[in-house]
Amino acid sequence: MPQTTPPLDKATVGLATLFLTSGTTHLVRPQVFEGIVPHVLPRKRALVYVSGAAEIACALGLLHSRTRKVAGLASAALLVAVFPANVQMTANHAKRAQRKQDTGSKAFLAGTVARLPMQWPMIRTALRAAGRL
């Protein structure tokens, strides 16, 4: 029996919108993201461009029924791949908050910490778009 393409739901549109916004920002302002590329990885600017292009490709793929399954799997993989950058961003802001000792730095740190578990619902949305959940 052939698998049907999962419908385009609000969560998938939301994930695609997030990817389009973030991917565009990666390409237009790569310097914003270079600091969160884990220190062990080389060629940070190139990695930022590649991840931005991948986000845009995943977003567009999620929106079209013919490519939604593959794009859903690619999106889940991309979210797993960029998780170390989110951890690096939290570590960077933890150091900054320690140095500055101001409420703004601590609030931003709290936001980056809260963002980490948000990867899981995004991965689930991507997998649902792929028809895997």
Side-chain angles (χ1 to χ4, degrees):
M1 179 166 51
Q3 276 189 321
T4 59
T5 299
L8 182 60
D9 60 7
K10 287 181 184 180
T12 303
V13 171
L15 182 59
T17 301
L18 179 71
F19 276 160
L20 281 172
T21 303
S22 179
T24 301
T25 306
H26 277 69
L27 300 179
V28 174
R29 298 202 51 218
Q31 67 277 11
V32 171
F33 298 96
E34 287 177 5
I36 66 169
V37 174
H39 301 302
V40 298
L41 297 176
R43 299 178 23 198
K44 294 175 184 347
R45 176 74 51 113
L47 289 172
V48 169
Y49 284 141
V50 167
S51 63
E55 286 182 347
I56 292 169
C58 285
L60 296 175
L62 287 169
L63 295 173
H64 195 283
S65 62
R66 283 186 152 172
T67 54
R68 189 166 304 127
K69 288 180 186 181
V70 171
L73 291 175
S75 296
L78 178 61
L79 288 163
V80 169
V82 300
F83 187 75
N86 295 331
V87 171
Q88 184 65 57
M89 178 172 45
T90 299
N92 292 350
H93 286 288
K95 288 177 189 172
R96 218 170 278 142
Q98 251 183 338
R99 277 195 319 267
K100 291 188 176 185
Q101 294 295 320
D102 63 50
T103 55
S105 295
K106 289 179 183 176
F108 199 82
L109 171 61
T112 65
V113 170
R115 180 177 186 247
L116 293 174
M118 292 308 297
Q119 292 290 109
W120 178 242
M122 291 189 296
I123 291 168
R124 287 184 54 85
T125 297
L127 292 173
R128 262 195 312 278
R132 296 296 174 113
L133 290 182

